[in-house]
Amino acid sequence: MTDTVPGSDYGDVVRTHLTRVEQQNAAALDDVAELVLASVRADGMVLAAGAGHSLAAVAETFYRAGGLACVRPIYHPELLPMHGAVSSTAAERRSGLAAEVLREAGLAAHDVLFVFSTSGVNPYPVELAVQAADAGCPVVAVTSLAAGAAAPRRAGTTLAENATVVLDNLVPPGDATYPPDNPVTAAVSTVATAFLWNLLLVRLMDKATEAGVVLPLWRSANVEGGDAANADLLRKYQVRVPQLG
């Protein structure tokens, strides 16, 4: 008799989901890696934006061991659930906030804007994409086409419809995945989106190595030589990224 490991069904669900995410985004990940590599070569910035729990994905991109140093997170305190859960939902649905944060961050054609939003239907993520595209800045939407199709179009259009490239995290409407026959818990969006971001870093590293481009990558501050390795990156990017402090 074999004992069942608690949560093994959920583990199977996640492993299957991530396999599908990797397979279905293979071509799009190559396209995004080319966009980011071109930005690095042009000394541009990767701008990372999201709202609500999609800000977890923004945190994944920023000041992370092994991550790109040329990342600037763009957000507004009202979008953080920890600063007010109900008010953060209201802020994402309010038109005009995207213009405010983009004015502060600045945009250039050699930058790349990543917008993380699983539904991609609220005014904040949609307006970020529209305004960046109007400024000639490539937009990468990290979203769920299925979730977006099932959600109300509060902005009249969607993030995916206004992006240069779409990375689909394949999250089901409602995000929950367990139990499989009637899912009510165990959201998969954070896991799937972080996986997509790191798949991108792997592709970017391979393409940069082939092209002879040295990527600006953070080292862990908790390994020997980490602080010294990061010092040059901090000197270069602190002026352009206020959040580096």
Side-chain angles (χ1 to χ4, degrees):
M1 177 176 174
T2 302
D3 293 334
T4 300
V5 177
S8 60
D9 287 347
Y10 170 66
D12 289 341
V13 167
V14 172
R15 283 184 284 272
T16 299
H17 189 90
L18 295 184
T19 298
R20 291 178 56 230
V21 166
E22 182 174 16
Q23 292 172 345
Q24 294 193 33
N25 286 281
L29 282 163
D30 282 336
D31 292 342
V32 176
E34 292 288 355
L35 285 175
V36 176
L37 183 59
S39 179
V40 170
R41 282 175 142 166
D43 197 26
M45 297 296 296
V46 171
L47 307 177
H53 286 93
S54 290
L55 283 165
V58 175
E60 179 72 19
T61 71
F62 179 64
Y63 195 54
R64 183 71 187 264
L68 289 170
C70 55
V71 170
R72 175 169 177 162
I74 58 174
Y75 62 94
H76 191 282
E78 289 183 38
L79 296 164
L80 293 164
M82 291 78 75
H83 287 196
V86 175
S87 60
S88 71
T89 297
E92 187 178 7
R93 296 179 181 180
R94 187 173 76 240
S95 182
L97 187 57
E100 182 179 336
V101 298
L102 286 178
R103 273 195 304 271
E104 181 182 341
L107 278 176
H110 56 277
D111 296 333
V112 180
L113 173 65
F114 282 75
V115 183
F116 299 94
S117 176
T118 294
S119 68
V121 296
N122 288 315
Y124 179 70
V126 171
E127 290 175 10
L128 284 173
V130 169
Q131 293 182 39
D134 287 347
C137 176
V139 177
V140 178
V142 187
T143 187
S144 165
L145 296 179
R153 290 191 166 212
R154 296 189 180 93
T157 181
T158 68
L159 169 61
E161 290 170 349
N162 292 279
T164 309
V165 186
V166 174
L167 296 177
D168 190 348
N169 60 23
L170 303 178
V171 171
D175 208 348
T177 60
Y178 193 84
D181 57 344
N182 184 30
V184 293
T185 191
V188 76
S189 57
T190 302
V191 174
T193 300
F195 183 57
L196 272 170
W197 175 254
N198 285 287
L199 284 173
L200 170 62
L201 291 180
V202 169
R203 276 171 166 72
L204 178 62
M205 184 70 198
D206 289 345
K207 288 179 180 293
T209 300
E210 183 179 352
V213 176
V214 177
L215 295 177
L217 297 175
W218 296 113
R219 293 272 303 279
S220 170
N222 297 311
V223 300
E224 189 68 32
D227 288 341
N230 291 337
D232 289 339
L233 294 174
L234 285 168
R235 279 190 290 272
K236 178 174 182 178
Y237 290 108
Q238 271 183 321
V239 175
R240 300 162 72 181
V241 184
Q243 293 84 359
L244 285 173

